[in-house]
Amino acid sequence: MATRGRPRAFDRDHALRTAMLAFWARGYESVSTTELAGSMGISQSSLYAAFGDKQSLFREAVAYYGEHEGAIARRALTTSDTARQAVETMLRQSADRFTDRSLPSGCMVVLAATNATAGNAAVQEFASELRRRDEAALSARLARAVTEGELPGHADPGALAAYYHSVLYGLSIHARDGRDRPGLHAIVDLAMKVWPT
Amino acid sequence: MATRGRPRAFDRDHALRTAMLAFWARGYESVSTTELAGSMGISQSSLYAAFGDKQSLFREAVAYYGEHEGAIARRALTTSDTARQAVETMLRQSADRFTDRSLPSGCMVVLAATNATAGNAAVQEFASELRRRDEAALSARLARAVTEGELPGHADPGALAAYYHSVLYGLSIHARDGRDRPGLHAIVDLAMKVWPT
DNA sequence: TAATTTATGGACAGGTCACTACAGAAAGGA
DNA sequence: TCCTTTCTGTAGTGACCTGTCCATAAATTA
């Protein structure tokens, strides 16, 4: 089943990465499809033919972000030996990522869709849902740590997950405000003192 | 020197409050001046005559927010007997404010100007500067606590201020995501465990 | 070669954006 | 009473927005 019709003249994955970088740096509504097509080197028609509409493109761009940029921090949750190590690794690697000068600062899921007009409320809700999902994954990992005895029985996995995600969100804002890498790690140093014993 | 010319037919302060609520709820770029004038019950011309341009209106709206909504949490810094009490009061009152159902959730300074087009970068920088200023005030209060002996000499006021502000920023995102008041206070419970002894 | 399928760029619709020109209205001052 | 000052709404301005139409180009299939 070879592909019929005229073949696409641009690299779809590369275009997606361009969209991710733009949305990540400036947010969903501050990036126009006209501008995106321009920096992709293609026409509006090609963009719409390849990705549907702007919202679909954004969702794909966020998915791309999750696979390429967010994957490392997320994998810490499943590969670390202890829950404590998982949390600290997640925060440390986020601190490193958020201050990578070759990429936009902070986390795309936190910063790219914080506000929107009424017509784009779905985009906001989409990002919010992703944040909830990540937090639920952390909460589950902490709950496992309680049953395994790594965390004391009185520890509240839900509250701890919300707390560490709160710090994580804060790192994004701080990174956007220009705080440097050691500054973010100093915050993580303090945040880890909360770990129950 | 009585006021010359035709008197203004609307309440400037009330209009400013309307603008604050709109910008706070949906962000700078997602609120149009057309819509604002409409909900203020005045024409575009009246709005521009009273407030200048959109950026000036936003700055005034943020100042209004600072005086009416942010003042209580900020006053905790100067009126509390101890620095610890100051920090905890600031976080608790923010948690209460951020989940007040009669107002937009979260903090306007964190949420209303997180992203912007190139032409509105000044608005972003404005909000960023306000965050830095508040953090500097907290840092100064913590430094005082070190010299007064409330905090141990090895405590780092700058890092602590950055940490507590990180939690504060996180509370805004959590509030926007729908977390309820007890949920935010549970985060504050944990955050306060970092306090050096 | 002919038919089909898909991608392409250019031009353009229809809407909204921030902002303003203008003429008239409502006040104070002379 | 008339002038000056300021605010008022109407009706625009040009620029930009998302999304589409259309003729054409480039590939596979028959």
Side-chain angles (χ1 to χ4, degrees), chain B residues 159-174:
Chain B
L160 278 169
Y163 164 75
Y164 281 113
H165 252 236
S166 200
V167 173
L168 184 64
Y169 299 156
L171 292 184
S172 281
I173 309 282
H174 271 306

Side-chain angles (χ1 to χ4, degrees), chain B residues 20-100:
Chain B
M20 174 197 74
L21 291 171
F23 284 135
W24 184 1
R26 305 205 309 283
Y28 177 73
E29 293 198 317
S30 299
V31 177
S32 75
T33 57
T34 312
E35 179 210 328
L36 278 177
S39 55
M40 289 171 182
I42 62 177
S43 69
Q44 286 266 87
S45 331
S46 297
L47 189 155
Y48 274 83
F51 298 105
D53 61 3
K54 193 186 178 187
Q55 284 206 9
S56 303
L57 172 57
F58 180 74
R59 286 165 199 265
E60 267 201 71
V62 173
Y64 186 99
Y65 172 84
E67 288 160 21
H68 292 80
E69 307 295 334
I72 299 176
R74 206 178 316 111
R75 198 165 48 222
L77 273 194
T78 55
T79 62
S80 296
D81 289 339
T82 66
R84 189 185 207 286
Q85 200 173 45
V87 169
E88 180 156 6
T89 302
M90 179 196 74
L91 291 174
R92 299 277 179 208
Q93 288 186 336
S94 295
D96 289 343
R97 284 274 159 165
F98 292 176
T99 52
D100 184 333

Side-chain angles (χ1 to χ4, degrees), chain A residues 54-104:
Chain A
K54 193 186 177 187
Q55 285 205 8
S56 304
L57 172 57
F58 180 74
R59 286 165 201 266
E60 267 203 71
V62 172
Y64 186 99
Y65 172 85
E67 287 160 22
H68 293 79
E69 307 295 333
I72 299 177
R74 205 179 317 111
R75 198 166 48 222
L77 273 194
T78 54
T79 62
S80 296
D81 289 338
T82 65
R84 189 186 207 285
Q85 201 173 46
V87 169
E88 179 156 6
T89 302
M90 178 196 75
L91 291 174
R92 300 276 179 208
Q93 289 187 336
S94 295
D96 289 343
R97 284 274 158 168
F98 292 175
T99 52
D100 184 333
R101 286 171 193 279
S102 67
L103 293 169

